[in-house]
Amino acid sequence: MQYRTTTTGPARPVFFACLLAALCIGAPAQADEALPTLTLKLGSKQIQAEVADRDETRALGLMHRESLAPDHGMLFVFEQTGMPCFWMKNTPLPLDIAFITDEGTITNIEAMQPFDLQSHCPVRPVRYALEMEQGWFKQANKKAGERITGLPALQP
């Protein structure tokens, strides 16, 4: 899963060049790097989430993953509240993404198809996004408006 920026205009090519350079420089270290994990709660369900809280780990996301363990996912943490959009370039695993506010409320849940370049965006500004295997939220009977606990503390 790749995070897609909403940058437009003349800054866009520069941004993508910098992002590509950062990915190429950091690629060998990322392959061996284990992301920190935390336990989130959504009602009675517990989720083991890898935490992607840096540009490099957010850009890599769940790309190239073929499967996830049951009740496991990836939590994307952003420095500021915003409107981050996601796509599925180089991601063979069908995923659902829940966009989450600073307070932990799910704004919307979107289904994402493998290798699809369509953008999936929050309906209002968020601080977090949680990717789970496609169908997980429906199977758990979880919807927009519900609250996730255990999110990392926000930096002032």
Side-chain angles (χ1 to χ4, degrees):
M1 174 66 231
Q2 248 182 341
Y3 163 67
R4 178 180 277 179
T5 181
T6 55
T7 302
T8 58
R12 189 177 204 149
V14 173
F15 172 81
F16 285 115
C18 291
L19 182 60
L20 181 61
L23 288 173
C24 291
I25 292 167
Q30 289 174 5
D32 297 333
E33 179 182 357
L35 294 176
T37 61
L38 53 77
T39 301
L40 304 174
K41 285 196 75 172
L42 180 55
S44 63
K45 297 292 283 183
Q46 285 197 343
I47 300 164
Q48 296 303 312
E50 294 178 56
V51 179
D53 59 358
R54 298 185 331 267
D55 287 341
E56 302 80 28
T57 56
R58 287 189 296 259
L60 185 61
L62 291 172
M63 283 197 303
H64 310 294
R65 303 262 187 113
E66 303 265 336
S67 65
L68 288 171
D71 299 321
H72 280 67
M74 181 171 282
L75 180 69
F76 295 80
V77 181
F78 298 95
E79 290 84 13
Q80 297 177 358
T81 301
M83 299 289 287
C85 294
F86 289 71
W87 61 351
M88 294 286 286
K89 185 175 183 179
N90 299 320
T91 308
L93 180 64
L95 299 170
D96 284 338
I97 187 166
F99 294 100
I100 306 164
T101 66
D102 290 6
E103 297 79 28
T105 303
I106 297 173
T107 63
N108 57 304
I109 300 169
E110 301 286 326
M112 302 187 298
Q113 301 307 314
F115 305 110
D116 190 6
L117 299 182
Q118 176 184 346
S119 290
H120 299 274
C121 307
V123 295
R124 66 178 205 250
V126 297
R127 177 68 66 110
Y128 309 97
L130 176 63
E131 290 180 341
M132 300 292 290
E133 195 160 3
Q134 196 167 83
W136 186 92
F137 292 100
K138 186 174 183 176
Q139 234 175 10
N141 198 29
K142 302 303 176 188
K143 300 176 175 74
E146 295 192 50
R147 193 159 184 269
I148 293 182
T149 58
L151 295 165
L154 300 177
Q155 300 300 318

